[in-house]
Amino acid sequence: MNMSKELKTDWLPKLQVRYSRRNREGKSRMLDEICEDYEYERKYAIKLLCGGCRRPAAGPSRTGATV
């Protein structure tokens, strides 16, 4: 069963919040459930659930820049 677009827009933000609040064991169980239900690869499920967890970029790099 693949996740439909409607399901992604409705449930994915809620799942991301639940995932971010869990400890390591809870995240692992949640990933197991999602991978089993939707037949996703584990890495893909992690990317989906961490979509809102990304750290902001540090800014432009200084390599090769002239001052």
Side-chain angles (χ1 to χ4, degrees), residues 1-4 7 33-40:
M1 174 175 151
N2 287 329
M3 193 181 285
S4 67
L7 188 60
E33 292 173 10
I34 289 173
C35 290
E36 185 178 324
D37 292 345
Y38 297 106
E39 299 175 359
Y40 286 155

Side-chain angles (χ1 to χ4, degrees), residues 29-46:
R29 279 191 302 243
M30 190 172 177
L31 283 170
D32 290 340
E33 292 173 10
I34 289 173
C35 290
E36 185 178 324
D37 292 345
Y38 297 106
E39 299 175 359
Y40 286 155
E41 295 285 330
R42 195 170 179 87
K43 291 286 186 177
Y44 179 69
I46 291 170

